[in-house]
Amino acid sequence: MRVRVLAFARVAEILGWTRSEIELSAGSGTDDLWQRLVTAAPALAPLADSTRIARNGRVVMKAEPLAQDDEIALLPPAGGG
């Protein structure tokens, strides 16, 4: 299955892109997607606990099942004051 991935802020800097389409095995979840990204960009690993994942506009847990054509957003913590 193919999903669209949007990366923001530090996550995008590490990945080197802001939008990508990624092919995953049927039955994959957000945890599988995250592992695929960490394998490609190991510097993401320390951000695992602080990065939120949204599936089709809704923040989900790390083990959320995915479906064909889902849009996944990787949301690092926001800072500022």
Side-chain angles (χ1 to χ4, degrees):
M1 84 180 125
R2 184 171 292 274
V3 296
R4 290 180 304 280
V5 181
L6 309 175
F8 297 93
R10 182 73 181 127
V11 174
E13 291 173 12
I14 292 170
L15 291 171
W17 48 263
T18 58
R19 293 175 181 255
S20 185
E21 289 195 4
I22 297 178
E23 189 73 31
L24 296 167
S25 301
S28 293
T30 52
D31 52 343
D32 300 306
L33 172 62
W34 182 258
Q35 278 308 118
R36 167 84 62 89
L37 296 173
V38 168
T39 298
L44 278 181
L47 301 180
D49 291 336
S50 61
T51 301
R52 298 294 167 246
I53 297 176
R55 175 182 177 226
N56 301 322
R58 184 178 60 89
V59 176
V60 297
M61 302 300 292
K62 293 272 190 205
E64 178 85 8
L66 295 174
Q68 176 73 25
D69 296 324
D70 276 349
E71 182 177 81
I72 307 303
L74 305 174
L75 309 166

